[in-house]
Each structure stands twice: as C-alpha cells, then as structure tokens.
Amino acid sequence: MEAALPVGLLPAGRLKRGDLMDLGAFMEGRVLGTGYAGYLLGEDWVLALDLEDGGGADDAQFAVVRAGIRRLEAGFETVEQRLYRETSGPFSKRRELRRFFLLEGDRRLDDPFQQQVFSYPSLYARGDGAAMRYLFFCLGDGCGERGRLVPLIERDAGGAPGENAAFRLRLVQSGEAPQAYRWTGGPAG
C-alpha cells in the first residue's frame, strides 16, 4: 500500500502534466484535507465538466479541464438592473452575483472538453441547449461548488505562424446559483 502523499501530489511516473482524464482518474491517489496551511497555486483548483449527452455523468466521470490550459480564472460578476424613479431619477439595484470562469489555452484535437465546446452544434446552441454541469473545488480540502455553465467563446483559434493555436472563452453561470460541494471520492461526490 502506498503512503499518503501531500495535497495534489501523485507518485512519480503515473501521470504527466496535461494528461486527458476523467475526475475519478485525476483524483486517484490524492489526499485531501491533510492539514496543509499556506499559499495555494493556480493548479490547486479543479474545474471539471459533465460532457455526457443529457448531463447524466457521475461526478467521477466529469472531464477535468486541464489539457492545454494556460490560464484558469474564476470569479463573480454582479448583474445589476437599472431602474428609474420619477422623484429621484435613475439608480442601480444589485440583482445577483453570477459565477464565471475565464479559460485561455492552446487548441488540442484530443481534448474532449475542447471537442465539445468548439463543435459546430455547441458553437451555435442557444439557451440551456449549450449549458453543462460543472464541479469546481480546491485540492487542499475538496470544498467548492457545483452548478451549470454556458460557454461564451471569445477566440476559437489564433496565433502567429509556428505557434500553437490559442483560444479564449468564458464559462458563465446558467440558471440557479451554484450549490456547495465537497469531493468525497465517490460517484455522488
């Protein structure tokens, strides 16, 4: 039996950076919540998407979004509604916070996430037809959130001759607010 490893580390030779895999395989051998205290790195966060038709995959079958990704930025944007009162004039009222992810990276033909997001049906899908379930959590403690996202593509191919083709897209919350989530290693997370 292998000894427990620090957060996010795997035995040497098992995986290489950028390997394509589902969440169950990605998390195999990782130990969460081992009392680590300190700074987190960008790669200490996991974004995984349900790429199954109809969105019926177990948590362990979600596709990890890592291949070719140079930048993953998670954030919130405030959605405001501008109102007008006859007595006091225009004002803004905060309506809700909406989760988004900004992804920048290199195009890969063998990445299931990129194949789906950049496919013709996905590029031109409207409304919930483009939405997919997601999990986002920290490798330090397994805590995060689950919800639904819609991809908004800003650039689907670009770059100078001799460089990798690059993309940039935003994944924006769709529907209800995300729910609290904790990776527990099983199908239901």
Side-chain angles (χ1 to χ4, degrees), residues 139-172:
L139 287 173
D141 60 6
C143 292
E145 66 190 42
R146 71 179 324 134
R148 292 174 56 83
L149 298 170
V150 173
L152 303 174
I153 296 165
E154 296 178 9
R155 277 193 323 256
D156 67 340
E163 292 181 355
N164 292 341
F167 71 89
R168 177 184 168 104
L169 66 92
R170 288 171 48 94
L171 298 165
V172 180

Side-chain angles (χ1 to χ4, degrees), residues 75-77 79 94-101 128 132-134 144-149 172-181:
F76 293 95
E77 55 192 9
V79 179
R94 180 181 146 183
R95 300 287 291 170
E96 65 183 49
L97 279 178
R98 185 169 53 194
R99 167 62 91 183
F100 75 88
F101 298 94
D128 266 355
M132 57 186 81
R133 296 185 311 146
Y134 78 94
E145 66 190 42
R146 71 179 324 134
R148 292 174 56 83
L149 298 170
V172 180
Q173 173 188 326
S174 172
E176 299 292 318
Q179 302 297 311
Y181 175 80

Side-chain angles (χ1 to χ4, degrees), residues 3 30 32 38 40 68 83 88 90 93-94 123 136 166 175 177 182 184:
R30 294 179 192 262
L32 304 178
L40 294 171
L83 302 172
S88 61
K93 179 179 178 184
R94 180 181 146 183
L123 286 171
F136 180 66
R182 182 176 179 93
T184 59

Side-chain angles (χ1 to χ4, degrees), residues 28-87:
E28 186 180 329
R30 294 179 192 262
V31 178
L32 304 178
T34 57
Y36 172 78
Y39 294 104
L40 294 171
L41 303 174
E43 63 251 21
D44 290 334
W45 297 92
V46 177
L47 175 62
L49 299 168
D50 181 359
L51 301 181
E52 292 283 321
D53 287 336
D58 290 332
D59 292 356
Q61 296 173 321
F62 278 43
V64 176
V65 179
R66 288 247 189 215
I69 302 298
R70 288 190 312 259
R71 179 177 177 204
L72 166 63
E73 181 180 316
F76 293 95
E77 55 192 9
T78 303
V79 179
E80 294 182 358
Q81 180 180 19
R82 294 206 41 95
L83 302 172
Y84 184 84
R85 288 190 184 145
E86 288 185 30
T87 56

